[in-house]
């Protein structure tokens, strides 16, 4: 049901090369090139820049537009499949997703609403998998269908699709002295009381390493594994915090505000992970499509 040219377009864009796309889809490289060329002729536009040799191909502006629409088209095709199956009494489908706290609270609800509207009866299980070393194994073995992660390292067993960058910002009370700073920087945390995540989270270790590289020495007064607790502690005036911008934008207490220094303290890239050598169920593909559509992926 999926036009080959569109699937070739998406896979080449995701992998950055015709050779990798051919390996992923089970075609020869020349067949993938032919499918993309046919699509380009049909659309009347070049979709990829091709540097030649081993250089990575990239989407043109026309290709980026086609990519977004192709993703949406695939989501609609999966919606059609699931709706038909539900209408004829197919067995209840379960989709298992590994997430971190902010993803579960802020990213998944919109995608799940799309899934619920189009695929009634699908059950989704969200499991917190922050820094769990078994994550890749669970995806490869089918114990998880998808995962949303931060700074995911590459692995041959999974496909990692970048969704967006979620840089560190400073969370503080609106009436704090930091909130009045005209040109915020992370250096203003030097010597300040800070509420932090526990160091069992790799992302927190990376943050504190970045502080040390820049000579920033906050006083960590509380540590927690809970996003809500961290925000409540900051709202109570017990310290400031460094958190991702998405969580800061959705802060739970009106007394809180956030400051975005212009520089990057430490990378925070949110990605969607698929198993590479295992076919996804239609419902899992549909949820993946809904998540990608939020970010034009």
């Amino acid at each position: 049901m999926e036009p080959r040219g569109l699937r070739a377009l998406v896979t080449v864009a995701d992998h950055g090369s015709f050779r990798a796309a051919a390996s992923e889809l089970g075609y020869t490289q020349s067949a993938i090139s032919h499918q993309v060329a046919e699509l380009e002729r049909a659309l009347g536009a070049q979709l990829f820049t091709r540097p030649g040799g081993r250089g990575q191909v990239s989407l043109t502006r026309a290709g980026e537009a086609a990519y977004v629409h192709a993703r949406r088209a695939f989501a609609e095709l999966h919606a059609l499949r699931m709706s038909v199956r539900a209408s004829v009494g197919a067995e209840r489908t379960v989709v298992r997703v590994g997430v971190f706290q902010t993803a579960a609270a802020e990213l998944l609800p919109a995608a799940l609403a799309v899934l619920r509207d189009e695929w009634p009866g699908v059950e989704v299980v969200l499991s917190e998998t922050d820094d769990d070393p078994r994550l890749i194994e669970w995806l490869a073995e089918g114990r998880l269908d998808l995962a949303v992660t931060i700074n995911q390292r590459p692995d041959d067993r999974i496909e990692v699709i970048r969704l967006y960058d979620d840089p560190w910002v400073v969370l503080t009370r609106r009436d704090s002295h930091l909130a009045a700073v005209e040109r915020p920087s992370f250096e203003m945390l030097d010597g300040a009381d800070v509420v932090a995540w526990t160091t069992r989270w790799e992302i927190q270790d990376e943050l504190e390493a970045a502080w040390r590289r820049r000579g920033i020495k906050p006083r960590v007064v509380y540590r927690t594994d809970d996003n809500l607790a961290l925000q409540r502690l900051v709202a109570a005036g017990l310290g400031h915090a460094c958190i991702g911008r998405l969580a800061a934008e959705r802060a739970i207490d009106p007394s809180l505000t956030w400051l975005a220094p212009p520089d990057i303290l430490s990378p925070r890239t949110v990605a969607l992970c698929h198993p590479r050598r295992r076919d996804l169920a239609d419902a899992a593909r549909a949820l993946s499509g809904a998540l990608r559509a939020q970010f034009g992926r």
Side-chain angles (χ1 to χ4, degrees), residues 158-180:
I158 61 171
E159 179 183 359
V160 180
I161 302 145
R162 176 186 166 277
L163 294 180
Y164 70 103
D165 292 323
D166 186 31
W168 293 106
V169 298
V170 177
L171 185 72
T172 189
R173 283 182 56 89
R174 293 183 183 276
D175 58 1
S176 75
H177 68 283
L178 294 189

Side-chain angles (χ1 to χ4, degrees), residues 140-159:
E141 293 178 350
R143 295 178 62 181
L144 289 175
D145 298 293
L146 306 168
V148 183
T149 65
I150 300 177
N151 293 353
Q152 180 62 52
R153 293 188 176 90
D155 188 285
D156 288 342
R157 293 169 290 176
I158 61 171
E159 179 183 359

Side-chain angles (χ1 to χ4, degrees), residues 86-161:
S87 69
V88 297
E91 292 184 3
R92 187 174 181 83
T93 300
V94 178
V95 179
R96 296 173 174 84
V97 186
V99 293
F100 57 96
Q101 288 182 39
T102 302
E106 307 297 347
L107 299 184
L108 267 297
L112 292 175
V114 172
L115 191 70
R116 185 181 181 89
D117 287 343
E118 300 293 338
W119 297 270
V122 173
E123 177 183 350
V124 179
V125 178
L126 305 180
S127 300
E128 190 174 328
T129 53
D130 302 76
D131 290 335
D132 196 309
R134 298 166 293 180
L135 174 67
I136 293 175
E137 179 182 339
W138 287 345
L139 284 166
E141 293 178 350
R143 295 178 62 181
L144 289 175
D145 298 293
L146 306 168
V148 183
T149 65
I150 300 177
N151 293 353
Q152 180 62 52
R153 293 188 176 90
D155 188 285
D156 288 342
R157 293 169 290 176
I158 61 171
E159 179 183 359
V160 180
I161 302 145

Side-chain angles (χ1 to χ4, degrees), residues 226-239:
D226 185 86
N227 183 39
L228 181 60
L230 180 143
Q231 293 190 35
R232 290 297 189 196
L233 291 168
V234 176
L238 299 175

Side-chain angles (χ1 to χ4, degrees), residues 46-84:
Q46 183 177 340
L47 303 179
F48 289 99
T49 57
R50 299 167 172 83
R54 295 184 177 273
Q56 189 174 44
V57 301
S58 59
L59 290 167
T60 62
R61 290 185 64 182
E64 290 174 354
Y67 180 92
V68 171
H69 285 285
R71 281 290 182 199
R72 290 173 181 167
F74 291 145
E76 289 299 322
L77 287 171
H78 292 308
L80 172 61
R81 291 191 186 113
M82 288 302 296
S83 294
V84 170

